[in-house]
Amino acid sequence: MTNSETNKNRISVISIFPEYLAPLELSLIGKAREAGLLEIVVTDLRDFTTDIHRTVDDTPYGGGAGMVMMPTIWGEAIDQSAANSEAEIHDLVILTPAGELFTQAKAQEMSTCAHLIFACGRYEGIDQRVTDHYRSRPEFRVREVSIGDYVLNGGEAAALVMIEAIVRLIPGVIGNPASLEEESHTISEAQLPGALLEYPTYTKPPVWRELAVPEVLTSGNHGLIQKWRREMALARTRRIRGLTRE
Ligand code: ADE
């Protein structure tokens, strides 16, 4: 079931630091939740521990540094998160620097998911059998996802980044949907090599610290403005990302 059928997206986040997810109450995401466009449930992984120390990790088989998060605890947490949702399909996102790279195209795709579950790993990651087990269950779609080629202390910051990128694409969340269409990144992955970065933008005052706004923008000539913006976008793309198709 997609959100277009249910009209309500549900996002579950499972973490040993639920307080880390507090920003999900602010700004656009907070408003979308209040408006009933979106339901976000943050769960403390330690609620599923069974020992007095509330242990979530153990030493890695085969040796090596660091600790690995136990599949037993994760399994209980993910099962409960799925059981609490009415969705038929649960999209489980396991955050790891070893995952596929998150892109705008993936944000677009995920914005249509009825129930996204973000599993925020810490330490040396989550026992691989968690991914393997849920991949074998037809009611789950599992993705291991990285937000970039750098290593964070855990998946929480990555989940925040992804949720922000995803939620703003849910219909009704952004007041002016035209601003989404104009964005250079609203492109399919297939188009990526030819995608343009956004042109530079200006507002008042017309001169600031001896820097004037480019004259064309105050000319009132919309054709010229469009042409100039496209040239600027091309130049910026070439400079920052290398050659464009044109
Ligand atoms: N956990 C640690 N580093 C990460 C990254 N770059 N992306 C997603 N999850 C992570």
Side-chain angles (χ1 to χ4, degrees):
M1 211 185 317
T2 67
N3 71 314
S4 56
E5 289 158 63
T6 61
N7 267 330
K8 180 132 175 180
N9 298 61
R10 186 184 179 93
I11 296 179
S12 302
V13 188
I14 309 171
S15 161
I16 56 167
F17 294 120
E19 303 86 355
Y20 210 119
L21 287 309
L24 296 177
E25 282 165 30
L26 305 175
S27 186
L28 223 75
I29 300 176
K31 288 203 185 96
R33 292 172 80 174
E34 278 167 31
L37 292 165
L38 171 70
E39 206 171 0
I40 300 186
V41 182
V42 178
T43 301
D44 187 345
L45 181 70
R46 289 197 201 275
D47 289 349
F48 298 87
T49 55
T50 49
D51 67 320
I52 191 161
H53 303 293
R54 312 226 299 156
T55 309
V56 292
D57 59 347
D58 209 330
T59 53
Y61 276 118
M67 301 290 271
V68 178
M69 296 186 106
M70 294 147 74
T72 45
I73 322 283
W74 273 106
E76 294 305 315
I78 295 166
D79 285 350
Q80 194 202 71
S81 164
N84 287 344
S85 153
E86 282 169 12
E88 283 162 17
I89 297 287
H90 311 280
D91 283 274
L92 175 60
V93 175
I94 299 185
L95 294 153
T96 162
E100 53 176 314
L101 275 185
F102 184 58
T103 60
Q104 186 68 18
K106 283 170 193 152
Q108 199 86 53
E109 204 184 304
M110 290 180 189
S111 72
T112 67
C113 293
H115 185 208
L116 279 164
I117 305 175
F118 288 89
C120 304
R122 286 254 145 191
Y123 317 116
E124 294 308 306
I126 302 174
D127 188 303
Q128 187 60 39
R129 288 170 292 180
V130 173
T131 299
D132 299 344
H133 167 77
Y134 287 100
R135 282 211 169 126
S136 76
R137 286 176 55 180
E139 72 273 36
F140 284 90
R141 272 193 303 243
V142 185
R143 297 180 108 150
E144 294 175 325
V145 181
S146 164
I147 60 158
D149 285 335
Y150 37 79
V151 180
L152 304 167
N153 287 331
E156 287 79 4
L160 286 175
V161 166
M162 288 183 63
I163 292 168
E164 180 151 328
I166 293 164
V167 166
R168 58 195 294 284
L169 299 175
I170 296 173
V173 168
I174 291 220
N176 175 13
S179 65
L180 287 181
E181 269 154 49
E182 256 186 41
E183 274 169 25
S184 61
H185 279 111
T186 313
I187 45 169
S188 77
E189 219 155 356
Q191 288 174 291
L192 250 182
L196 293 183
L197 301 182
E198 199 117 40
Y199 50 78
T201 54
Y202 301 84
T203 185
K204 291 172 193 70
V207 180
W208 177 73
R209 297 192 182 175
E210 295 176 16
L211 295 170
V213 169
E215 245 178 78
V216 60
L217 297 179
T218 52
S219 69
N221 184 331
H222 289 290
L224 267 186
I225 292 171
Q226 294 281 70
K227 188 165 170 281
W228 180 86
R229 284 180 166 164
R230 182 160 175 81
E231 278 162 13
M232 288 296 114
L234 279 166
R236 184 182 253 183
T237 309
R238 269 189 219 108
R239 182 163 39 86
I240 296 174
R241 300 283 170 93
L243 282 179
T244 56
R245 267 200 222 130
E246 281 150 288

